[in-house]
Amino acid sequence: MARKTAGKPVTSNAWQWGRTAETQRVLLQAAREVFSEQGFAEANVADIVERAGSSVGSLYHHFGGKTELFLALWEEHQGAHERNAISAVAKARSAGEEDSLELFIVGARAYLQGSWQRRDLARLFMNGDGPPGFEQIRRTRGREWIRQNNVLLRTSNTAVNRFTVSVLTTLIGEAGREIAMSPSKREANKITEAAVRYIRRLDPLHPEVE
């Protein structure tokens, strides 16, 4: 039988889905806090479910365990980076920007802004304290990031261009690490502007290589 909310019928399946999504959200937030405070290795499931006001059974039902929670947070963090960059680039294009390097910089700024906004997660994922196999996952994502940057920059497939885009991608990643460790937004902004200056100097569309 359907429930009614504000005059509209809501099926029991929709109600259950809503409860499931909320349970997952609360567990992820609790895991984010506990992992950020204790690190992956030292954190335990009991601390997470206590913080969430949930149960061990619920955690294992929704995620499967501590490792899966960590990886879900990683995917959520990376997904936010990608969505923000895509949105920023699309907005710049709709405003008339067509230069590939400028669009790349717009995407880089969005990534670095996210590194400050979610600095607790950025610090968590860069400290080397993760489940077995996590470093391989990070490396695979890094290679995909370089590929996406190549597409955005529309560079020709030469060794110099591939190398330059790899350097630029690494530069943005390292700037993100420094921003996550910054004591203030002002310091984070300085790092962002320094990164942008280096990107312009390295311009992969016009490399200064004889």
Side-chain angles (χ1 to χ4, degrees), residues 92-105:
R93 280 190 171 127
S94 68
E97 183 60 70
E98 297 180 354
D99 184 88
S100 294
L101 183 63
E102 293 305 317
L103 292 172
F104 179 81
I105 289 172

Side-chain angles (χ1 to χ4, degrees), residues 32-169:
R32 177 176 180 168
E33 294 170 5
V34 172
F35 287 143
S36 295
E37 293 167 8
Q38 303 178 17
F40 175 79
E42 294 299 320
N44 61 68
V45 167
D47 290 334
I48 295 171
V49 297
E50 180 180 4
R51 186 76 60 95
S54 188
S55 67
V56 172
S58 181
L59 184 150
Y60 280 100
H61 171 73
H62 289 288
F63 291 99
K66 187 172 79 166
T67 292
E68 289 79 6
L69 264 175
F70 184 93
L71 295 178
L73 282 172
W74 160 257
E75 290 298 335
E76 188 176 79
H77 180 58
Q78 294 301 310
H81 271 319
E82 291 176 8
R83 289 191 299 273
N84 292 343
I86 289 170
S87 176
V89 169
K91 184 177 179 180
R93 280 190 171 127
S94 68
E97 183 60 70
E98 297 180 354
D99 184 88
S100 294
L101 183 63
E102 293 305 317
L103 292 172
F104 179 81
I105 289 172
V106 166
R109 285 186 182 277
Y111 175 90
L112 296 176
Q113 183 179 40
S115 296
W116 172 255
Q117 293 172 338
R118 297 183 303 281
R119 53 194 178 278
D120 58 330
L121 289 176
R123 290 193 296 264
L124 171 66
F125 298 132
M126 72 185 188
N127 69 8
D129 178 19
F134 180 60
E135 285 305 310
Q136 180 60 44
I137 292 172
R138 287 184 59 186
R139 286 193 292 271
T140 299
R141 184 61 65 91
R143 289 193 293 271
E144 174 60 18
W145 189 14
I146 292 171
R147 187 195 68 78
Q148 291 172 353
N149 285 339
N150 267 306
V151 171
L152 178 59
L153 286 163
R154 294 184 293 186
T155 58
S156 57
N157 188 30
T158 67
V160 169
N161 283 341
R162 290 195 302 271
F163 168 72
T164 305
V165 173
S166 295
V167 170
L168 286 175
T169 303

Side-chain angles (χ1 to χ4, degrees), residues 177-194:
R177 290 169 64 94
E178 291 299 324
I179 284 171
M181 300 300 295
S182 294
S184 68
K185 184 66 161 62
R186 181 179 180 182
E187 187 70 18
N189 288 342
K190 288 181 179 179
I191 295 168
T192 296
E193 295 311 313

Side-chain angles (χ1 to χ4, degrees), residues 13-29:
N13 285 342
W15 176 246
Q16 183 61 39
W17 182 89
R19 291 180 61 191
T20 295
E22 177 61 13
T23 299
Q24 292 174 345
R25 184 194 68 77
V26 171
L27 283 167
L28 280 171
Q29 180 59 35

